[in-house]
Structures are given as C-alpha cells and as structure tokens.
Amino acid sequence: MDPLDAVGPAFSRLRRASALNAESPVSRKDMTRTLVLNIVDEGPEHDGQEITVGVVAERLAVDPSVASRMVTDCIAAGYLVRAASQQDGRRTILQMTDEGHAMLAAFRRHQRSAFEFITREWPEGEPEQLARLLVKYVDSVAQARNGSGD
C-alpha cells in the first residue's frame, strides 16, 4: 500500500490504541477529560476569542450538548471552573483549576511514557524525528482549518 494511502487508516488505529501505556491504562473518562482540558489549556486561536463550551464543541467537532456534558464532568471533577467573560458579562468562559493543570501534566507524562515505551526499540533519532514531524503536521492542520495555510 502506498504510504500516503496508509496514513488515514494508521491514524484510525492510533486513535483506537491511544490509551496504551506500559504501566497503567487510561480510563475512557480521563481520555475525554484531557481532550477538554487541552482545549482550555491551548487557549484562544485568535484575538478576542474566549474558551467557552461552544469553542470546545467546535474544536472537538461534537454537538454543543455533548460538549456541555464533557465540560460539566470536568467541573464536577474539579478540573475546570466557569467564570464571567471579560468581554460579555452574559457569557461564561472556562478556566482551568490547579487540579486541572495537575491532571493535564500527569496525562502528558503518561503520553510521553507511552511514546517512549512504544518506540523503545526504534533506531536512535527516529522517535524524535516522528515527534517533530507529528507536531509539524498538527500545526499545519490548525493553519489549514484557520484558512492561513501559507
């Protein structure tokens, strides 16, 4: 199979295997929570944008009611709080708590550990090369989505 044709199926398999860890599996609930926390942590994509449930829904490509349930779960877990918008007092924005920052940091350590475990037998330099190219790919996806692909 042409490597470019294999990329899509490989991403699908990667998504299904994303909870892999050499030490302990990640719960589905924690995986979902980290999706939301990463969006809040990444912050606005452009000037004037605030992180709301609507932004979470848009970035995850889910229905606003689904995003609302995900956010409510993160709030109940103590990872997020709602706050008043500084731009529009009628709107609420999402902010991460200290517990949310700690949970996200722990998950990122988990991700690194899983990556290092999976690539442990790769030739020297290849894990770093993949990491660099994957970050470049994701950055390009964001640029394309925002219409600034040049």
Side-chain angles (χ1 to χ4, degrees):
M1 178 184 275
D2 181 324
L4 294 178
D5 290 336
V7 170
F11 277 137
S12 293
R13 288 194 323 273
L14 179 63
R15 173 66 180 104
R16 291 191 307 268
S18 62
L20 174 66
N21 186 342
E23 299 161 14
S24 61
V26 175
S27 73
R28 183 175 302 223
K29 184 170 278 218
D30 282 344
M31 291 290 291
T32 300
R33 288 173 174 167
T34 59
L35 290 172
V36 174
L37 294 179
N38 273 307
I39 290 169
V40 175
D41 188 56
E42 290 165 8
E45 290 182 333
H46 54 78
D47 288 342
Q49 183 182 52
E50 295 176 306
I51 305 302
T52 63
V53 172
V55 169
V56 171
E58 179 183 310
R59 291 191 192 171
L60 291 177
V62 299
D63 189 76
S65 65
V66 172
S68 180
R69 287 191 297 274
M70 294 168 75
V71 165
T72 298
D73 176 64
C74 287
I75 291 169
Y79 299 141
L80 292 177
V81 293
R82 294 183 195 269
S85 165
Q86 298 301 304
Q87 298 174 13
D88 181 347
R90 300 167 293 177
R91 183 174 44 199
T92 59
I93 60 171
L94 303 172
Q95 296 178 332
M96 202 158 359
T97 64
D98 290 343
E99 292 85 0
H101 285 289
M103 196 274 202
L104 194 54
F107 187 75
R108 288 177 177 165
R109 285 190 303 273
H110 173 284
Q111 288 175 309
R112 180 177 179 133
S113 174
F115 184 84
E116 288 172 344
F117 175 76
I118 291 165
T119 61
R120 70 191 178 281
E121 295 181 12
W122 289 22
E124 185 177 336
E126 281 190 359
E128 293 80 7
Q129 181 182 13
L130 173 61
R132 188 176 57 259
L133 291 172
L134 186 56
V135 169
K136 181 178 180 178
Y137 177 84
V138 171
D139 289 345
S140 295
V141 168
Q143 287 176 347
R145 189 178 72 225
N146 292 330
S148 57
D150 14 63

